[in-house]
Amino acid sequence: MQTYTSLSDKNNMFAIFPNGVREYEDIGKHHSTIRLTLFRTYGRLGKADLLYRPGRASGDATVATLAAELKKVLSFDFGVYITDCDFEKANVTNVAKEFKTGLQVFEYAEFLNGRLIFPFNVVKRKLPEEYSLFETKGEFTTSTVKKAEERKGYVIRLYNASFKEKEDELKFNKAPNKVELVDLKEEPLKKLEVVNNTVKLPKLTHDKIVSIYYEY
């Protein structure tokens, strides 16, 4: 697991969003209990009998690393998401994406963050408190927004985490001059029409991705 793991039926859904080790196991009757690894360590460096590297130690199995066991009080945090609907209606992937995406803020450089800079240098607020570059209907999950490698525009990559075939759209805050469907090399596949700042995305089946290039 990278972002979440979940259990669900037609009436309930339970998901865990880890902030540490991405290791879990479904146990119990009908595999209805999630066992989440919070911390894992070893008392020796390496292992001499690895199946995929027979005869070669991964490190040195003779070296004890007792200090690495960290036998002390530790604290961990993770997210839990519970709903009274099934996995599809719970929109788990987008909720997990929001939980895992940190808040991006603007701040002065560290050497300017003294106790006198703010009382004596009042900063005029020129930017809006909220701004959205684009939005979707929430059917797909946004994976990446990045600067294009070879061109001046940007690339938005989305994927369908649902088990059903779905379609979505991109609604831009400002209408771009060019929008294209591109491959993973960011090479053009097809020009997309912009209507009312909105571009319809192609239908995607489970775990399929789509990459969109746009520029102003």
Side-chain angles (χ1 to χ4, degrees):
M1 121 178 107
Q2 291 297 320
T3 308
Y4 68 88
T5 184
S6 66
L7 295 172
S8 66
D9 56 24
K10 294 181 179 179
N11 301 312
N12 301 277
M13 193 288 308
F14 177 88
I16 291 178
F17 309 147
N19 273 335
V21 180
R22 266 80 170 153
E23 181 179 85
Y24 78 99
E25 182 182 14
D26 292 341
I27 62 172
K29 188 176 181 179
H30 307 302
H31 304 285
S32 58
T33 300
I34 298 176
R35 185 189 316 202
L36 176 67
T37 300
L38 295 178
F39 179 70
R40 181 178 59 175
T41 187
Y42 303 94
R44 286 189 173 274
L45 179 64
K47 188 177 181 181
D49 57 348
L50 296 178
L51 295 178
Y52 56 89
R53 285 193 291 179
R56 176 183 174 188
S58 174
D60 189 341
T62 64
V63 176
T65 56
L66 299 181
E69 294 180 357
L70 294 179
K71 296 179 179 179
K72 60 182 182 180
V73 176
L74 302 172
S75 62
F76 307 91
D77 62 272
F78 55 90
V80 174
Y81 178 34
I82 304 173
T83 70
D84 56 358
C85 59
D86 63 16
F87 177 85
E88 293 291 341
K89 293 181 181 179
N91 203 7
V92 182
T93 306
N94 282 327
V95 174
K97 181 72 175 182
E98 184 176 355
F99 175 81
K100 300 294 292 183
T101 301
L103 179 65
Q104 302 299 314
V105 298
F106 172 83
E107 63 180 0
Y108 281 103
E110 291 185 3
F111 64 88
L112 293 176
N113 281 337
R115 61 184 177 85
L116 298 179
I117 185 172
F118 294 108
F120 293 99
N121 297 274
V122 179
V123 179
K124 293 183 179 179
R125 297 180 180 272
K126 298 180 180 180
L127 300 176
E129 293 185 2
E130 294 184 4
Y131 176 80
S132 176
L133 182 65
F134 66 90
E135 61 182 28
T136 71
K137 288 184 176 180
E139 300 297 332
F140 296 164
T141 300
T142 304
S143 172
T144 302
V145 180
K146 62 180 290 289
K147 175 72 175 62
E149 298 294 327
E150 304 293 339
R151 294 191 281 175
K152 69 177 184 178
Y154 296 84
V155 173
I156 302 172
R157 185 166 297 121
L158 308 101
Y159 65 95
N160 179 17
S162 170
F163 290 100
K164 301 177 181 179
E165 182 181 66
K166 288 190 173 183
E167 58 184 344
D168 209 329
E169 64 182 29
L170 283 175
K171 184 175 182 180
F172 293 90
N173 183 281
K174 176 184 176 183
N177 296 325
K178 178 188 294 185
V179 181
E180 297 175 342
L181 181 67
V182 297
D183 59 20
L184 291 178
K185 295 181 180 180
E186 301 179 10
E187 295 178 351
L189 296 175
K190 177 184 178 181
K191 289 185 178 180
L192 299 178
E193 184 181 7
V194 182
V195 179
N196 296 327
N197 294 10
T198 303
V199 174
K200 290 186 177 181
L201 301 176
K203 292 182 179 180
L204 295 179
T205 55
H206 174 61
D207 273 355
K208 297 302 181 181
I209 66 173
V210 62
S211 297
I212 304 297
Y213 170 84
Y214 74 95
E215 65 179 53
Y216 292 108

